[in-house]
Amino acid sequence: MDPATSSAPINGDCETESHSLWSWWPSWRPTSMSLLKTVETKILACIQNDLWARFVTLPNQDRIWTLTLTNKAVLKPAVPKTPLVMVHGFGGGVGLWIRNLDTLSRSRPVYAFDLLGFGRSSRPPFPSDASKAEQQFVNSIEQWRQSVGLENMILLGHSLGGYLATSYAIQYPSRVLHLILVDPWGFPEQPKTQPDDNPGQGAELVKRPSPPRWVKIIASVVSLFNPLAVIRAAGPWGPGLVNRFRPDFKRKFEDLFDDDTMTQYIYHCNAQTPSGEVGFRAMSASLGWAKLPMLQRVHQLPPSMPLTMLYGQRSWVDSSSGYRVVQIRNQTHTRVLLINDASHHVYADQPEEFNRVVESICNSVN
């Protein structure tokens, strides 16, 4: 199907419900892939531009849920515009970009997909080794690119998506014309704690914005369980748990939905069989730190590859890592931008400014 000739179809492919340990008690967890599809369809109904939503099948038969947006109202340029590819963060999905997709697809194709193991994409097993788990994510992105048929792209990743986008760009630099990292996870090294007899030096070493309460709660169980196990273990109280600890998601999208649509979306994305979060756990020393910090590898990006790092001014992710990247790359084609009055979910907190900045970056490419 040609995305330019389709009119916002939502793919009706059958989705196989999982039959794992977590799904043999269906009345306990009020979720299913069908319910996720239903709430996502409501979200995507807000899109005005031309939407092609479908599963992209990889060579190993894993399926990646993919959106392609185009604007038929704009005449095709003589030289096609480089597509923008958007990669969500941990526990997210394509629906979280709802405030950005229309604007960013005004003059170029935009692709967004659910990472392997998240959202509506396939949920295969992940290895427990950090390097192998990371590579499984990256391989799926490259196989997705090949299956979709993109020669190159402007690659944007948020949080975990930023970490994986960087790893991808290191391994496949010819495919990335500009790398945009939005509040990326996993860049700094975990600080070493200091002895109690030298509290001043220790306090200086670990100084960083305080994570929100929901991050601390998840961090308290991540070493024992998969990060989102509490949502599944809560059974019928799971949706209420998400509403209680993530009321910000309802507020961020309240101009689009006056109900629990977005928190229901978050719940159904993460109450399914754990897969991507298993990979994330393998890559994590704790929720705020990566076992293989990206600051140790970012020098492997080609100096000629433009890199822009966007941070929310009020985010719990420390933007100092961005300035460290500038130093590592000797300021070559590297910028750090702070978005005022935005927290970790920059794209939803300040969508107009986020869209303006990203659109400007894209226009600098072509």
Side-chain angles (χ1 to χ4, degrees):
M1 182 185 297
D2 183 353
T5 61
S6 62
S7 179
I10 301 299
N11 193 296
D13 286 3
C14 293
E15 297 180 67
T16 303
E17 300 293 345
S18 173
H19 295 284
S20 72
L21 175 65
W22 286 106
S23 60
W24 65 278
W25 215 353
S27 61
W28 177 248
R29 285 186 299 136
T31 188
S32 67
M33 278 294 182
S34 295
L35 289 173
L36 172 56
K37 178 181 178 180
T38 297
V39 70
E40 183 188 82
T41 299
K42 180 179 179 181
I43 295 169
L44 298 183
C46 297
I47 291 175
Q48 300 298 310
N49 284 348
D50 299 291
L51 169 65
W52 184 21
R54 80 282 191 196
F55 288 102
V56 172
T57 302
L58 306 186
N60 64 359
Q61 300 307 304
D62 283 337
R63 301 197 304 170
I64 302 298
W65 180 242
T66 302
L67 309 183
T68 303
L69 287 95
T70 54
N71 184 2
K72 284 198 301 188
V74 176
L75 294 176
K76 288 185 177 181
V79 178
K81 296 265 191 158
T82 302
L84 171 66
V85 175
M86 306 179 75
V87 187
H88 65 80
F90 176 76
V94 294
L96 295 184
W97 300 117
I98 192 60
R99 297 178 67 109
N100 319 109
L101 294 172
D102 269 333
T103 298
L104 297 178
S105 61
R106 286 188 298 198
S107 61
R108 72 183 61 244
V110 170
Y111 292 78
F113 62 86
D114 286 344
L115 279 165
L116 185 68
F118 289 102
R120 294 178 62 189
S121 289
S122 295
R123 293 174 175 253
F126 273 80
S128 58
D129 177 80
S131 179
K132 291 179 180 178
E134 177 184 329
Q135 193 59 48
Q136 184 170 341
F137 279 120
V138 172
N139 288 346
S140 71
I141 295 173
E142 171 58 9
Q143 291 168 4
W144 172 87
R145 181 201 65 78
Q146 294 177 14
S147 298
V148 171
L150 297 181
E151 183 66 23
N152 47 46
M153 68 189 94
I154 300 164
L155 184 58
L156 181 153
H158 171 252
S159 196
L160 170 63
Y163 181 91
L164 296 175
T166 306
S167 181
Y168 177 88
I170 289 172
Q171 297 183 49
Y172 300 97
S174 65
R175 304 302 180 185
V176 181
L177 300 190
H178 198 121
L179 181 61
I180 306 173
L181 305 179
V182 184
D183 245 43
W185 170 84
F187 271 67
E189 297 178 348
Q190 186 168 2
K192 294 180 173 61
T193 56
Q194 296 297 302
D196 291 339
D197 58 357
N198 192 7
Q201 185 178 355
E204 180 65 27
L205 261 177
V206 299
K207 184 178 180 181
R208 71 193 300 243
S210 178
R213 182 173 61 155
W214 68 269
V215 172
K216 295 178 180 178
I217 291 172
I218 293 178
S220 68
V221 300
V222 71
S223 62
L224 300 175
F225 307 100
N226 290 320
L228 298 170
V230 64
I231 293 178
R232 290 179 290 274
W237 296 279
L241 199 64
V242 174
N243 276 324
R244 178 179 178 185
F245 288 104
R246 298 311 310 269
D248 56 309
F249 269 104
K250 184 174 181 178
R251 292 195 300 268
K252 293 177 199 299
F253 299 93
E254 61 186 1
D255 58 324
L256 297 176
F257 308 103
D258 58 3
D259 55 13
D260 295 335
T261 296
M262 295 308 296
T263 50
Q264 285 288 319
Y265 178 68
I266 292 297
Y267 171 73
H268 289 303
C269 276
N270 294 295
Q272 311 294 328
T273 302
S275 171
E277 68 181 276
V278 176
F280 176 76
R281 182 188 176 198
M283 294 158 54
S284 305
S286 67
L287 195 66
W289 311 100
K291 289 180 180 177
L292 302 173
M294 196 55 69
L295 280 181
Q296 298 176 352
R297 293 179 278 160
V298 73
H299 67 277
Q300 297 177 33
L301 288 172
S304 60
M305 181 184 293
L307 168 61
T308 303
M309 305 182 75
L310 305 180
Y311 290 90
Q313 184 188 42
R314 296 186 287 104
S315 175
W316 57 273
V317 174
D318 192 351
S319 61
S320 65
S321 293
Y323 296 106
R324 180 69 184 122
V325 172
V326 173
Q327 294 175 342
I328 292 172
R329 303 191 80 213
N330 295 317
Q331 302 184 7
T332 304
H333 301 292
T334 308
R335 290 192 303 162
V336 176
L337 302 175
L338 296 182
I339 305 296
N340 292 331
D341 297 321
S343 59
H344 182 52
H345 293 274
V346 186
Y347 56 89
D349 288 325
Q350 297 295 331
E352 292 83 6
E353 179 63 10
F354 174 85
N355 294 340
R356 185 192 68 79
V357 170
V358 172
E359 200 168 29
S360 175
I361 293 170
C362 291
N363 290 337
S364 73
V365 175
N366 56 22

